Amino acid sequence: MSVQRVELVVPVDGAVAAGEAPTVGIRPNDLHSSEVPGLQVVPEVIERLGNVSICYAEAEGGISVNLVAGGLADLARGKPVNIGIDPACCHVFRSDGSALVRRFNIT
């Protein structure tokens, strides 16, 4: 199985052990469609709920991805969408489930 790779630099404090594979999570409302190539998903189900649309999609390798978009977002079943990911919105977890502390820049 081939899985599309997207490189992110996530602002966190701490580290994972050598050889440990961290898990990166992001909330659906922190994902957005983007004109810039990145992670590409294919919508399977789109719920139009008025001011928001919830999109249940699949990325390469069968990975499920859900995102929340505007109510009039240009989403269609089977039409590939590039997804933008803001690294500052990501959460990083060690294999034991503990989270690395996210760093915030407050201006």
Side-chain angles (χ1 to χ4, degrees):
M1 166 173 53
S2 168
V3 177
Q4 179 182 1
R5 303 248 182 233
V6 175
E7 186 172 321
L8 295 172
V9 177
V10 180
V12 293
D13 289 327
V16 295
E20 182 179 10
T23 298
V24 177
I26 188 165
R27 292 186 173 98
N29 57 325
D30 287 331
L31 295 173
H32 57 276
S33 60
S34 174
E35 297 298 319
V36 178
L39 178 64
Q40 189 175 77
V41 300
V42 178
E44 296 176 332
V45 176
I46 300 155
E47 288 186 271
R48 303 280 183 183
L49 302 173
N51 65 335
V52 298
S53 295
I54 301 175
C55 176
Y56 303 90
E58 187 173 295
E60 204 174 311
I63 298 170
S64 294
V65 176
N66 302 332
L67 66 119
V68 177
L72 300 176
D74 183 21
L75 298 169
R77 186 172 189 259
K79 178 183 171 189
V81 176
N82 287 322
I83 299 300
I85 300 171
D86 179 355
C89 295
C90 292
H91 304 269
V92 181
F93 302 91
R94 295 180 183 92
S95 59
D96 68 1
S98 63
L100 278 72
V101 176
R102 292 180 7 184
R103 277 187 265 136
F104 294 94
N105 289 329
I106 300 175
T107 56

